[in-house]
């Protein structure tokens, strides 16, 4: 399906009311005749008596901060939700509508057949909310020292719901956490704000000569050719000077965007603005950052560089970034994404101090939110149903970007090591990855950390980087600007690699099992030699004989067994050859085993999650050897397996997955 929008919107900087009117042209490309359309009314999640408020299960705790009491018990004075003043057809006549919380059904005057389009309009308004007290993704940030606002407007207009071949209409109510299922289209948006505001938005600015000063326009054009460093279009001094003047005039910024699934914008007179061109294979998008003086010196140094690094790495791993701009806007305590624009936290202390932790968090959130341009803004999964398909895949590539461009940052989050405590925790407090967003427990681990860890393991241990990277790129290419479901990702990864991963998806995504494999028993054998004392035999080595305590004591590491057990290899009886006339050389086979150490190891799957085996042997001479065994070793028995290793040297220690 396709939905094109022409929108006029105004932000009132005195009353903090947003007023808009839109015309939607909806294209029915499905094989079905439609008799109604569903429109998302996301702001109604903040109306009195909303579904989240009515179904909250919070309790009372003594000495709770007033801010959290107000939000938890619905004590806010904020009047939220849309005021829908008109829904009309192209002929100007009212259309019948039914509003059910965050969804509005628009009944069509005549059925919309395959290949037809329907144009209608909606007029609306709502009170923009203070994110400090109300939370949420869109709203405003108030700066009391200079009495100014920064508006980050998201989910601000009624948006078409998705109609697809899996669900029909995806009209599941927006409760607050499950994000969005959206349809692609073209946008023309006219944004009216005070004339001293700077507006950042999805798409390309159409009238820079009308809304920018000549100096700003010259710098803006210069930035389009600057590939080595950002050009500051609005300086800190210029932005600060506007804070106290406050123009009473209005300006309208016009933006156009093609083939996007959503539109967001930010507006403030406080914004410093810098930009730099990014050289990709065939395109040169503009990386841009908008931030108040309170975000410096951190943002001027890191934000646009982080956008550039993200676009380069993600374009290499998925598809080339197709849009003309990528924007990062400073917004307190936030990390949220929309096509071409995202809102990100990270402010220095009052004295301008930037700690290593703050720098890490700021770069990480910018990489993550800019990365969302690819998942789900381009590879357009259904966030209302499957959070992991955008958050998990994106967290994986965020970590890869940091690994390649910021190796000094913390890389534990999103790795197998980063989810160890979570995965081996209380299973009653864990849900499978394949759980709807609104019912997930431990959301951060479930939707972000564990899927990323799974993909990291898949790349590094199961498939190998070459096969994984090619398959992942194929998935992105195959499903760009479409609506993939989980099975589409699973199938694409297998189809492009010839690696059977059914066991992997089942275990990691549909269960709450964890990886825990024990070396349950070790037996050490050598081939018996006739000259040796026939009584020189030892008993099998049982669990507990491993020198596991050596690292926890002052005792030197020693052999893990009391010696080997001798075995005899006998001549092959003729009956084992059947109809074959030729014979193997029994003596040659025995000769190959002479002097070798044969270790029969029993592995037990305690955690339940099938996994490749990485077995590290430490030898008597101090050297080590790593054996990598594919997960198919468990195909006949997922609980317990036995494998024999023939080694030249004597083993003193065995470790699973060092």
């Amino acid at each position: 399906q396709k939905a094109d929008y022409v929108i006029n919107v105004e932000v009132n900087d005195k009353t903090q009311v947003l007023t808009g009117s839109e015309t939607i042209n909806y294209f029915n490309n499905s094989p079905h005749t439609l008799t109604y359309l569903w429109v998302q009314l996301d702001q109604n999640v903040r109306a009195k008596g909303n579904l989240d408020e009515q179904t909250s299960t919070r309790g009372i705790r003594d000495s709770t901060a007033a801010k959290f009491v107000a939000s938890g018990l619905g004590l806010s004075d904020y009047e939220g939700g849309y005021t829908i003043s008109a829904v009309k057809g192209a002929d100007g006549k009212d259309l019948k509508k039914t509003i059910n919380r965050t969804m509005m059904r628009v009944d069509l005057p005549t059925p919309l057949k395959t290949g037809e389009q329907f144009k209608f309009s909606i007029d609306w308004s709502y009170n923009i909310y203070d994110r400090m007290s109300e939370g949420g993704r869109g709203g405003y940030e108030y700066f009391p020292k200079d009495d100014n606002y920064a508006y980050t407007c998201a989910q601000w207009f009624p948006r078409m719901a998705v109609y697809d071949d899996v669900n029909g209409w995806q009209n599941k109510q927006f409760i607050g956490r499950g994000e969005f299922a959206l349809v692609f289209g073209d946008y023309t948006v006219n944004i009216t704000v005070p004339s001293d505001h700077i507006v950042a938005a999805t798409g390309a600015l159409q009238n820079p000569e009308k809304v920018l000063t000549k100096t700003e326009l010259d710098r803006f054009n210069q930035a389009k050719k600057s590939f080595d460093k950002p050009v500051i279009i609005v300086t800190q001094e210029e932005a600060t000077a506007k804070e106290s003047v406050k123009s009473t005039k209005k300006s309208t910024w016009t933006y156009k965007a093609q083939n996007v699934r959503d539109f967001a914008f930010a507006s403030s007179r406080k914004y410093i603005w810098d930009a730099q061109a990014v050289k990709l294979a065939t395109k040169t998008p503009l990386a841009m950052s908008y931030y108040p003086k309170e975000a410096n010196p951190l943002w001027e140094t890191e934000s646009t560089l982080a956008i550039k690094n993200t676009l380069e790495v993600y374009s290499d791993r998925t598809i080339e970034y197709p849009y003309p701009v990528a924007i990062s806007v400073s917004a307190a305590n936030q990390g949220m994404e929309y096509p071409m624009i995202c809102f990100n936290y990270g402010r220095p202390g009052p004295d301008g101090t930037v700690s290593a932790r703050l720098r890490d968090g700021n770069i990480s959130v910018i990489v993550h939110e800019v990365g969302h341009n690819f998942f789900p803004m381009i590879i357009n999964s259904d966030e209302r149903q499957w959070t992991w398909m955008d958050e998990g895949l994106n967290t994986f590539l965020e970590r890869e970007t940091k690994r390649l461009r910021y190796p000094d940052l913390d890389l534990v989050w999103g790795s197998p090591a980063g989810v160890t405590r979570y995965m081996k925790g209380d299973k009653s407090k864990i849900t499978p990855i394949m759980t709807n967003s609104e019912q997930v427990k431990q959301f951060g681990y479930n939707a972000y950390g564990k899927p990323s860890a799974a993909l990291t393991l898949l790349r590094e241990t199961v498939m190998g980087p070459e096969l994984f990277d090619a398959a992942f790129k194929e998935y992105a290419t195959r499903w760009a600007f479409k609506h993939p479901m989980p099975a589409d990702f699973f199938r694409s990864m297998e189809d492009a690699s010839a690696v059977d991963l059914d066991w992997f998806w089942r275990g990691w995504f549909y269960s709450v099992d964890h990886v825990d494999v024990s070396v349950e028993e070790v037996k050490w054998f050598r081939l018996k030699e006739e000259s040796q004392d026939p009584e020189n035999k030892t008993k099998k080595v049982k669990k507990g004989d491993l020198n596991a305590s050596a690292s926890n004591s002052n005792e030197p590491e020693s052999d893990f067994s009391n010696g080997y057990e001798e075995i005899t290899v006998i001549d092959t009886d003729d009956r084992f050859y059947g109809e074959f006339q030729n014979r193997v050389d029994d003596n040659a086979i025995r000769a190959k085993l002479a002097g070798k150490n044969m270790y029969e190891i029993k592995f037990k799957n305690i955690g339940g999650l099938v996994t490749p085996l990485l077995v590290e042997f430490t030898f008597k001479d101090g050297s080590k050897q790593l054996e990598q065994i594919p997960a198919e070793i468990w195909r006949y028995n997922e609980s317990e397996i036995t494998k024999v290793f023939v080694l030249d040297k004597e083993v003193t220690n065995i470790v699973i997955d060092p």
Side-chain angles (χ1 to χ4, degrees):
Q1 306 296 75
K2 187 173 188 282
D4 294 341
Y5 297 79
V6 176
I7 309 176
N8 297 308
V9 59
E10 181 172 352
V11 173
N12 189 317
D13 194 38
K14 293 183 178 180
T15 63
Q16 285 68 59
V17 172
L18 182 148
T19 304
S21 63
E22 66 183 344
T23 298
I24 304 174
N25 195 19
Y26 187 77
F27 297 79
N28 182 15
N29 298 323
S30 80
H32 308 139
T33 296
L34 304 177
T35 57
Y36 51 78
L37 308 178
W38 280 102
V39 178
Q40 302 186 48
L41 302 179
D42 300 323
Q43 288 299 323
N44 284 358
V45 77
R46 299 190 169 278
K48 292 294 183 183
N50 64 75
L51 195 57
D52 181 45
E53 182 180 292
Q54 287 188 319
T55 60
S56 65
T57 56
R58 302 175 182 90
I60 296 292
R61 293 180 61 185
D62 187 27
S63 301
T64 301
K67 178 178 185 292
F68 302 112
V69 171
S71 61
L73 299 181
L75 304 180
S76 171
D77 294 327
Y78 169 69
E79 294 290 336
Y82 283 115
T83 297
I84 303 291
S85 54
V87 180
K88 297 178 180 292
D91 57 4
K93 295 181 179 179
D94 290 336
L95 295 172
K96 183 182 178 182
K97 67 181 187 298
T98 302
I99 296 177
N100 178 11
R101 298 184 184 270
T102 62
M103 288 288 166
M104 178 171 68
R105 193 186 74 219
V106 178
D107 293 340
L108 300 174
T110 58
L112 187 63
K113 297 178 181 178
T114 300
E116 294 182 341
Q117 53 191 279
F118 179 73
K119 186 175 289 188
F120 66 108
S121 64
I122 305 174
D123 297 340
W124 79 94
S125 64
Y126 70 88
N127 298 314
I128 307 172
Y129 52 87
D130 185 344
R131 288 196 304 104
M132 181 279 296
S133 58
E134 304 299 325
R137 297 175 173 89
Y140 65 75
E141 179 182 355
Y142 178 62
F143 295 82
K145 285 186 178 181
D146 50 72
D147 187 33
N148 276 296
Y149 295 83
Y151 300 93
T152 48
C153 296
Q155 294 109 257
W156 56 277
F157 63 100
R159 305 181 293 179
M160 289 303 308
V162 165
Y163 184 79
D164 65 26
D165 59 347
V166 177
N167 301 297
W169 287 106
Q170 171 48 291
N171 54 10
K172 180 175 171 60
Q173 291 290 337
F174 179 41
I175 302 178
R177 191 162 69 179
E179 292 181 348
F180 315 110
L182 297 164
V183 62
F184 286 105
D186 300 334
Y187 287 73
T188 298
V189 182
N190 303 302
I191 306 166
T192 300
V193 295
S195 290
D196 53 359
H197 273 218
I198 294 294
V199 176
T202 299
L205 180 61
Q206 300 299 297
N207 59 340
E209 68 285 344
K210 291 185 177 180
V211 294
L212 303 180
T213 66
K214 185 180 184 305
T215 300
E216 291 167 349
L217 183 59
D218 289 343
R219 293 169 181 166
F220 182 52
N221 289 328
Q222 180 187 350
K224 297 175 183 177
K225 304 172 185 176
S226 177
F227 293 94
D228 57 341
K229 62 180 180 180
V231 173
I232 299 179
I233 300 168
V234 177
T235 68
Q236 181 165 328
E237 292 73 22
E238 291 164 345
T240 303
K242 290 190 291 185
E243 290 180 347
S244 58
V245 177
K246 300 182 181 178
S247 173
T248 57
K249 297 180 180 180
K250 297 179 182 180
S251 294
T252 298
W253 297 57
T254 298
Y255 281 90
K256 286 190 176 183
Q258 292 182 317
N259 207 19
V260 293
R261 65 171 230 158
D262 199 4
F263 192 103
F265 70 93
S267 181
S268 179
R269 62 176 55 89
K270 291 177 65 67
Y271 284 149
I272 304 161
W273 176 16
D274 71 55
Q276 176 183 347
V278 180
K279 188 70 173 176
L280 301 178
T282 65
K283 301 180 185 299
T284 55
L286 205 54
M288 302 195 288
S289 297
Y290 299 75
Y291 43 97
K293 66 180 187 296
E294 288 80 4
N296 261 343
L298 175 64
W299 274 66
E300 187 174 313
T301 304
E302 300 293 353
S303 179
T304 298
L305 176 60
I307 300 172
K308 174 180 179 291
N309 285 330
T310 305
L311 294 184
E312 290 173 345
V313 174
Y314 277 66
S315 292
D316 179 61
R317 291 293 190 88
T318 60
I319 69 166
E320 186 176 14
Y321 185 68
Y323 296 131
V325 301
I327 296 169
S328 170
V329 179
S330 173
N333 287 24
Q334 191 174 25
M336 193 58 206
E337 70 282 354
Y338 302 91
M340 303 187 225
I341 188 170
C342 54
F343 310 140
N344 304 310
Y345 70 82
R347 303 266 175 88
D351 60 354
T353 302
V354 178
S355 66
R357 183 176 181 180
L358 173 63
R359 177 176 176 269
D360 188 322
N362 179 241
I363 292 172
S364 296
V365 74
I366 293 173
V367 171
H368 183 90
E369 305 306 342
V370 172
H372 270 307
N373 276 290
F374 297 83
F375 304 98
M377 303 305 158
I378 297 169
I379 296 94
N380 183 24
S381 57
D382 180 355
E383 297 177 277
R384 186 62 52 86
Q385 183 64 33
W386 307 116
T387 301
W388 70 267
M389 287 194 74
D390 66 291
E391 297 296 359
L393 271 60
N394 189 44
T395 299
F396 164 73
L397 275 188
E398 171 206 336
R399 183 175 179 274
E400 286 290 283
T401 301
K402 292 190 293 183
R403 182 177 66 84
L404 294 169
R405 300 297 176 91
Y406 300 96
D408 58 316
L409 299 185
D410 183 4
L411 300 176
V412 174
W413 176 244
S415 73
V419 295
T420 299
R421 178 181 295 181
Y422 162 73
M423 287 185 68
K424 71 178 183 181
D426 183 351
K427 302 302 184 187
S428 69
K429 298 178 181 178
I430 301 174
T431 49
I433 291 174
M434 291 291 290
T435 301
N436 179 266
S437 305
E438 301 296 349
Q439 292 153 278
V440 165
K441 298 177 182 177
Q442 301 195 62
F443 191 75
Y445 277 114
N446 177 284
Y448 296 70
K450 184 179 176 182
S452 174
L455 295 180
T456 300
L457 182 73
L458 195 59
R459 182 179 192 267
E460 305 300 333
T461 305
V462 178
M463 298 175 70
E466 184 177 357
L467 281 176
F468 178 92
D469 290 349
F472 196 81
K473 193 175 184 72
E474 174 62 25
Y475 166 69
T477 303
R478 183 179 291 182
W479 287 98
F481 303 106
K482 297 184 177 71
H483 299 263
M485 295 293 166
D488 300 313
F489 176 64
F490 300 155
R491 281 193 290 258
S492 294
M493 292 299 292
E494 296 190 35
D495 181 66
S497 66
V499 179
D500 179 6
L501 297 171
D502 291 359
W503 61 271
F504 186 83
W505 311 127
R506 185 189 68 197
W508 276 87
F509 288 77
Y510 287 88
S511 84
V512 294
D513 293 340
H514 63 283
V515 176
D516 186 3
V517 177
S518 72
V519 177
E520 197 70 10
E521 183 180 76
V522 181
K523 297 179 183 178
W524 178 19
F525 301 97
R526 278 186 180 174
L527 189 64
K528 180 179 180 181
E529 297 181 15
E530 294 300 322
S531 60
Q532 290 182 323
D533 181 354
E535 299 302 319
N536 184 24
K537 290 187 177 182
T538 61
K539 299 178 181 179
K540 68 181 180 181
V541 182
K542 296 181 179 179
K543 184 179 179 183
D545 292 332
L546 294 175
N547 189 28
S549 61
S551 60
N552 299 320
S553 69
N554 295 321
E555 295 297 322
E557 192 168 292
S558 60
D559 288 352
F560 65 80
S561 76
N562 297 316
Y564 54 83
E565 180 177 350
E566 289 185 329
I567 63 170
T568 300
V569 175
I570 63 174
D571 289 340
T572 307
D573 193 283
D574 283 343
R575 62 192 173 92
F576 294 120
Y577 289 105
E579 296 177 340
F580 289 104
Q581 300 300 303
N582 57 327
R583 298 291 185 263
V584 301
D585 187 338
D586 293 326
N587 289 327
I589 293 171
R590 281 190 287 263
K592 287 183 178 181
L593 285 175
K596 302 285 188 182
N597 297 282
M598 291 168 278
Y599 293 92
E600 179 187 293
I601 306 178
K602 182 185 294 184
F603 301 96
K604 187 174 183 180
N605 184 356
I606 298 172
L609 197 55
V610 173
T611 178
L613 288 179
L614 279 68
V615 186
E616 183 187 71
F617 296 99
T618 300
F619 300 110
K620 201 170 186 177
D621 62 5
S623 62
K624 295 183 178 182
Q625 176 178 322
L626 184 67
E627 292 281 344
Q628 295 186 260
I629 306 165
E632 279 79 1
I633 193 170
W634 301 95
R635 65 190 183 276
Y636 294 124
N637 187 336
E638 294 187 7
S639 301
E640 189 175 277
I641 54 175
T642 299
K643 185 171 178 62
V644 174
F645 299 86
V646 180
L647 305 169
D648 292 327
K649 300 177 183 179
E650 184 178 327
V651 173
T652 59
N653 199 27
I654 299 171
V655 175
I656 293 291
D657 195 359

